[in-house]
Amino acid sequence: MPYIPHTDEDIAAMLEAVGTPSVSDLFTMIPAECRAGKDLDLPANLTEWELKDHMGALAEMTAREPEYTIFLGAGSYRHYVPESLTHILNRTEFVTSYTPYQPELSQGTLQAIYEYQTLMARLLGMEISNASLYDGASALAEALLMAARVTKRKTVALSNLIHPFYRDVVRTYLEPSGHEIIEISAGENGTTDCASLDNVDELAAVALQSPNFFGCIEALAQAADLAHKKQALFITVFTEPLAYGLYKNPGSLGADIVCGEGQSLGISQSFGGPGLGMFATKMEYVRHMPGRLVGRTKDVDGRDGYVLTLATREQHIRRGKATSNICTNNSLCALAATVYLASLGATGMRDLARLNYDKTEYLKELFRKARFEIPFPKPTFNEFVVKMPAGSESIYKRMLEKGIVAGLPLDPYYPELTDHYLLCVTEVISKEDMDALVTEAKS
Amino acid sequence: MSTFTGTTGLVHNEGSLWKRGKRGRRAYSQPRRDVDTHPLDETLISEGVDLPDLSELDVVRHFTRLSQCNFSVDSGMYPLGSCTMKYNPKINEKLAALPGFSAAHPLLPSLLAQGILRIMHELETWLCEITGMDAATLQPAAGAQGELTGMLLMHAYHAGMGSRRTKIIVPDTAHGTNPASAALCGYQPVPVASNERGILSPDAIAAVMDEETAGIMVTNPNTLGLFEENIRDIADIVHAKGGLLYGDGANMNALMGIVRPGDIGIDIIHLNLHKTFSTPHGGGGPGSGPVCVKENLAPYLPVPRVIEEKGKYHLSQDQPRSIGRVQAFYGNVGVMLKAYCYIRTMGAEGLKQASQMAVLNANYIKEKLKGSLYLPYDVPCMHECVFSDKLQNPFKVSTLDMVKRLMDLGFHPPTIYFPLVVPGAIMIEPTETESKEEIDLFIEAMKSICREASENPGLLHEAPLKCKVRRLDETMAARHPCLAG
């Protein structure tokens, strides 16, 4: 078998040392009634040659560029990933190492995480970031649980313009332990109308997404004021952090916890995972924060070094009383985000965000000229909603056959929005792609 | 004495990323602008993010140097018990990165992603076959999220039966995540001690199992590397009171093709694809923690579920009793692809052989080091063995001192001070991919350290001497947290 180095001679010598007559005798401590009665029923094994052919054929069954132009976003974004990033990310010293439990042998991973924490704090305008969580949705659930711990309250309010899947994950995480979830409805302009919270008290948190699910920029500062008047924590979630290359970040607008999905920062889409759960907050809440943390310190000779720290919040020490059950982070994805931001730099990040903005505005303008309705007037980033003519399903299908995935139909998530589509444009979509989309939509 | 691979060679002193570079540089090629600029609402616009501007060589050099400050499976033996650091096949990395997989948008219409959906469906089927279960979800992003999913399933199951239970039995040999996952779901963890042989006795379970208890979380083989031989009796006791058995499958690497947890009374089990199925750990993730269940729990599995109908695959949301989503999309597909490749390459016989050799390697180390290190439970072990520092304590040498010295000789330390039931524990898991020669070298290194412990304990207190940094001040890091630069 590949990957198993034992020769018959090795096995014989080792069995002799162990004092066991045969390999199957190694398992005599397992009672006979617990042992599998037959061999596993799995397909015959493939050679590396056969595996390549098999996987290659399955990979070819996915729609992707250049045969398809895909205007889908909704929490997963296609951005150009520099080859240098892919090269660094494939270095096996990063890929095949483990959680840095032994700092003297893990300074590479530890320093990279420390740099990730620093860049994320700067990007989001917060004092501290953790070492990453699984994905944006579970990060939001953890943020709400943290707010409940901090405020000792059990009710949280969520904008219904937070990604529908994120709200699903929040329900899964919070409801069994008796937390109550209030949904804040959207106003007609495509942003959240917090007025419905006026008479609600005893809130642990108010959470908004910005840019929200419709791509619109929310009035975060006003929502933060409202939350703080109610002694609740204000949480901002996001699915597209590149927006903060252009727009003010949530920290500068009063957020207490900022969390979301970092896939946009140099991580491949991979059918939705792995992603990168980003999570940042204020120093005063550090001991309530879920997830790992890396801190800077000194060794016995006075040299700088990095260690996992504040572990007394964590499950391996506090067991049932830990801040969360999270035992790991998405380290390699955090590394990708760090390398991505380092590659862009301040200048590149602003330029790229601006290009994304301008391209989106170009497509909006095309739709407007073609007399399609853009129902939500608020400023957007990357994504916006367009209303197609009645019976749009057939237009959508026709475009699909021509290799255009014309955004995400919104009615499964917002039944009142029939014929509304969420479209996404990033730097990888060309002017010609957009022209072709609108020409097809019109015809 | 042999030459060990530890070295004093090239050691980088790499400064912070943001101290490099100069305004105006970039390491990113932006596509040519083909649209005009559009006016902005200036009240919403920031001054920009405080990031360094670097050249491509700046970036490549910085992270290459950092990578060289890391120990990894590809640089040497990494016998972290319970973490299963086996070799990660390179072909799997390459295949998972094929554009047809890596560039797939998760919201594509199902018909445009049939290859990926088929892989997910087959992987679920195979994981069920390996564990002896009936249905699976691949959604949890890590073992701990798999545990949480398992607890949520248990909660939903009891709620579905109209009962509200408040407690979960968690043995002292369980992973620390077990009680934390139970607590997150609103359960009160009830600790139970293992017996003098390091395993659970049915009497201990019978004494605490009642109608208020939702079930038990069992790690089998447990964290002492021992098989829970009373598992069937324990299952009967728990089932008789309406409870469920949760199996922590983190140690499944010992059991493939040998024991199917579903056949011995387990109702729910999570697997760590990054342990048992050879996907790399990435410096601490992404992992993947699928959950397999018996038929009666299948209706509660997270949505969406991958459904096959007449050779076509789609994602179904139509599961009224589901606990809901645990991830925004479908889990860590990139990781699943590598595990799929691994199972396809190994086949039934290969997986069984992997478990056999993992157990042989662990028992070989146990026999060879017994006497040099104290062995608290001298019985045949599964894929890992647990020693302690009891024989070195008279020389004022601790487990920590010994494993720090191991670094100087070129090995990553084993897991230490875990499980909690063994004071000064050293938990070694060689995995099946280490050869006899490498293991012999490891044994020799450990023995030489044990000799040093009695002859020159000062050397061990000073260790490591050959790493990039020496022992780090963790107290200072925690008392005066410096978490960003």
Side-chain angles (χ1 to χ4, degrees), chain A residues 41 328-329 347 350-351 354, chain B residues 26 38 46 53 129 281 284:
Chain A
D41 181 15
T328 185
N329 53 323
T347 311
R350 171 55 66 104
D351 287 354
R354 184 69 203 251
Chain B
R26 73 170 58 169
H38 191 274
S46 74
D53 280 1
E129 169 64 15
H281 290 56

Side-chain angles (χ1 to χ4, degrees), chain B residues 68-79:
Chain B
Q68 291 175 343
C69 302
N70 252 12
F71 193 92
S72 64
V73 174
D74 284 6
S75 20
M77 186 170 162
Y78 214 127

Side-chain angles (χ1 to χ4, degrees), chain B residues 277-483:
Chain B
F277 300 98
S278 89
T279 71
H281 290 56
S288 176
V291 175
C292 304
V293 297
K294 286 292 185 59
E295 192 62 53
N296 55 344
L297 286 144
Y300 304 101
L301 286 172
V303 281
R305 299 203 45 203
V306 190
I307 306 289
E308 191 245 79
E309 272 166 354
K310 297 180 187 148
K312 295 282 182 215
Y313 301 86
H314 71 273
L315 291 161
S316 166
Q317 305 284 345
D318 184 22
Q319 310 287 332
R321 284 193 279 169
S322 165
I323 59 166
R325 285 174 186 268
V326 294
Q327 285 276 294
F329 295 108
Y330 326 117
N332 289 344
V333 176
V335 181
M336 295 169 204
L337 288 161
K338 298 172 202 178
Y340 177 93
C341 288
Y342 178 73
I343 296 174
R344 248 353 292 249
T345 310
M346 297 294 276
E349 194 193 333
L351 293 180
K352 184 174 182 179
Q353 203 185 354
S355 288
Q356 288 173 331
M357 293 302 112
V359 172
L360 178 62
N361 279 356
N363 277 284
Y364 182 67
I365 289 177
K366 178 177 72 67
E367 281 308 309
K368 290 283 192 170
L369 284 180
K370 182 165 82 178
S372 299
L373 288 170
Y374 179 70
L375 181 67
Y377 299 93
D378 190 1
V379 289
C381 64
M382 298 295 285
H383 63 307
E384 54 198 6
C385 54
V386 178
F387 295 99
S388 85
D389 57 4
K390 201 171 173 180
L391 302 178
Q392 284 71 38
N393 285 343
F395 312 111
K396 307 252 182 303
V397 166
S398 69
T399 289
L400 188 73
D401 298 326
M402 287 192 282
V403 304
K404 294 296 181 194
R405 179 67 179 146
L406 195 56
M407 295 178 180
D408 286 338
L409 302 184
F411 295 94
H412 193 280
T415 294
I416 55 172
Y417 300 104
F418 184 84
L420 305 175
V421 288
V422 175
I426 307 172
M427 180 198 229
I428 302 170
E429 179 177 9
T431 82
E432 73 281 5
T433 58
E434 294 301 330
S435 66
K436 179 172 180 294
E437 296 93 301
E438 192 68 27
I439 289 175
D440 283 337
L441 209 59
F442 172 78
I443 290 164
E444 198 181 327
M446 282 306 297
K447 283 185 169 173
S448 80
I449 291 168
C450 293
R451 274 195 304 277
E452 286 172 353
S454 60
E455 291 164 7
N456 186 5
L459 180 65
L460 272 61
H461 297 144
E462 290 290 306
L465 294 164
K466 297 180 178 181
C467 296
K468 173 173 156 62
V469 287
R470 293 182 54 214
R471 281 196 215 184
L472 289 151
D473 190 342
E474 300 195 20
T475 311
M476 180 176 109
R479 286 217 180 121
H480 307 285
C482 175
L483 307 172

